[in-house]
């Protein structure tokens, strides 16, 4: 059984210790990119001096190298501070090492009075309409695969082709701290290439070196749906593109650039 019931434990204001729940499916010593993406996203929104009238509209992650399951420091830098928009960068650095992951966020000022709302696309079937869907086989007992509730309305992890999957965190991002709506989206968004895989896991590697998430609406509720499609060029470059939903409807999109190669 897992000893911890959160993805991270806070060591100090800017330092975090990852638990076994962050472990990805490919390397026992590395994290799935979802939890560190959420940790950096939280830093972009909640850094010291962050304006309360701004909201994250877009965040792009550069995954420089696998994120180890070792204590990490989060740092933030304001690159542009404007009246209507600001650009903030956050970095994730293991103790004694170089940064392994960067996030650059665009925060946009929200209106004082509600403006017009325009809906985008149809809703997908709700998570209550389908049963829990198991992950593909993973060689260790505890990790990201056991820390997320996953329910497919199209496809499965074991099928090749497009997939639509509702995902829910089984535990907080940081032990003893409230789960934010943005945490739920960013923990799930990096799973698009696995949800919509088009190649045999055992014969090919198709990993993402980046992730971009656009949000036109602030998410609500516990569930996030990733409606994903993957395209691969014979040269070995792919793209996993996904619509993101909550139970009220569409909230945005995510995209991952893929490195594809035979094992």
């Amino acid at each position: 059984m897992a000893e911890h019931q959160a993805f991270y434990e806070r060591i100090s204001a800017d330092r975090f210790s990852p638990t076994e729940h962050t472990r990805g499916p490919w390397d026992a010593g590395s994290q799935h990119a979802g939890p560190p993406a959420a940790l950096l996203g939280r830093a972009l929104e909640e850094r010291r001096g962050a304006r309360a009238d701004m909201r994250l509209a877009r965040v792009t992650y550069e995954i420089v190298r696998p994120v180890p399951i070792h204590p990490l420091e989060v740092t933030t830098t304001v690159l542009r501070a404007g009246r209507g928009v600001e650009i903030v960068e956050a970095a994730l650095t293991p103790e004694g090492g170089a940064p392994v992951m960067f996030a650059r966020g665009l925060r946009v000022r929200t209106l004082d009075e509600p403006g017009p709302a325009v809906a985008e696309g149809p809703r997908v079937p709700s998570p209550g309409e389908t049963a829990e869907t198991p992950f593909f086989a993973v060689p260790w007992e505890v990790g990201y695969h056991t820390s997320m509730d996953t329910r497919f309305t199209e496809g499965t992890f074991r099928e090749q082709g497009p997939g639509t999957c509702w995902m829910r965190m089984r535990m907080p991002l940081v032990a003893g701290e409230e789960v934010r709506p943005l945490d739920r989206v960013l923990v799930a968004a990096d799973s698009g290439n696995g949800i919509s895989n088009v190649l045999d896991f055992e014969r090919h590697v198709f990993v993402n070196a980046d992730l971009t998430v656009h949000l036109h609406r602030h998410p609500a509720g516990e569930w996030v749906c990733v409606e994903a499609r993957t395209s691969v060029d014979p040269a070995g470059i792919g793209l996993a593109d996904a619509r993101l939903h909550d139970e009220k409807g569409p909230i945005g999109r995510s995209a991952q650039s893929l490195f594809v190669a035979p094992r």
Side-chain angles (χ1 to χ4, degrees):
M1 288 290 293
E3 180 181 351
H4 309 281
Q5 292 302 317
F7 289 102
Y8 297 96
E9 296 181 342
R10 187 183 290 273
I11 301 172
S12 63
D14 300 318
R15 296 174 61 241
F16 300 85
S17 178
T19 72
E20 60 269 50
H21 295 287
T22 64
R23 182 176 290 120
W26 310 118
D27 178 0
S30 298
Q31 299 182 46
H32 186 283
L39 197 64
L40 286 172
R42 181 182 283 201
L44 294 175
E45 284 283 81
E46 301 182 2
R47 64 178 176 80
R48 185 176 302 171
R51 286 172 51 180
D53 64 341
M54 285 190 166
R55 200 171 73 200
L56 195 68
R58 186 265 300 155
V59 56
T60 296
Y61 298 91
E62 305 291 347
I63 306 170
V64 180
R65 56 182 59 88
V67 181
I69 304 179
H70 295 302
L72 302 161
E73 181 181 13
V74 178
T75 56
T76 59
T77 305
V78 178
L79 302 180
R80 175 190 173 188
R83 292 180 59 191
V85 300
E86 67 177 17
I87 300 174
V88 185
E89 186 173 81
L92 199 61
T93 306
E95 290 183 347
V100 294
M101 192 169 177
F102 293 94
R104 181 169 290 191
L106 173 68
R107 301 183 77 235
V108 177
R109 180 169 57 85
T110 56
L111 297 177
D112 294 330
E113 298 294 333
V118 180
E120 180 226 325
R123 296 185 181 182
V124 296
S126 73
E129 298 176 40
T130 185
E132 182 176 354
T133 312
F135 242 80
F136 54 86
V138 176
W140 29 87
E141 182 180 353
V142 177
Y144 180 86
H145 64 290
T146 59
S147 305
M148 300 292 292
D149 188 349
T150 55
R151 303 186 182 191
F152 277 80
T153 63
E154 176 189 18
T156 70
F157 282 119
R158 295 181 172 88
E159 295 179 26
Q160 294 178 19
T164 302
C165 182
W166 285 98
M167 306 184 77
R168 178 174 61 177
M169 299 165 63
R170 297 185 187 274
M171 60 194 63
L173 182 68
V174 180
E177 299 185 16
E178 179 186 1
V179 180
R180 280 69 161 176
L182 189 64
D183 297 343
R184 301 184 188 280
V185 175
L186 298 179
V187 162
D190 188 70
S191 296
N193 60 327
I195 290 169
S196 63
N197 76 84
V198 293
L199 299 170
D200 188 339
F201 282 116
E202 297 182 358
R203 298 178 58 191
H204 294 88
V205 173
F206 45 99
V207 297
N208 60 301
D210 72 352
L211 167 67
T212 298
V213 177
H214 289 266
L215 294 172
H216 67 265
R217 178 167 65 78
H218 197 58
E222 295 185 338
W223 290 94
V224 174
C225 180
V226 181
E227 181 187 2
R229 305 289 184 270
T230 292
S231 302
V232 178
D233 183 82
I237 298 175
L239 171 67
D241 175 60
R243 295 186 182 206
L244 303 175
H245 308 255
D246 61 17
E247 291 186 86
K248 293 184 178 181
I251 58 174
R253 299 189 77 95
S254 66
Q256 300 163 288
S257 300
L258 306 180
F259 164 74
V260 182
R263 288 191 180 276

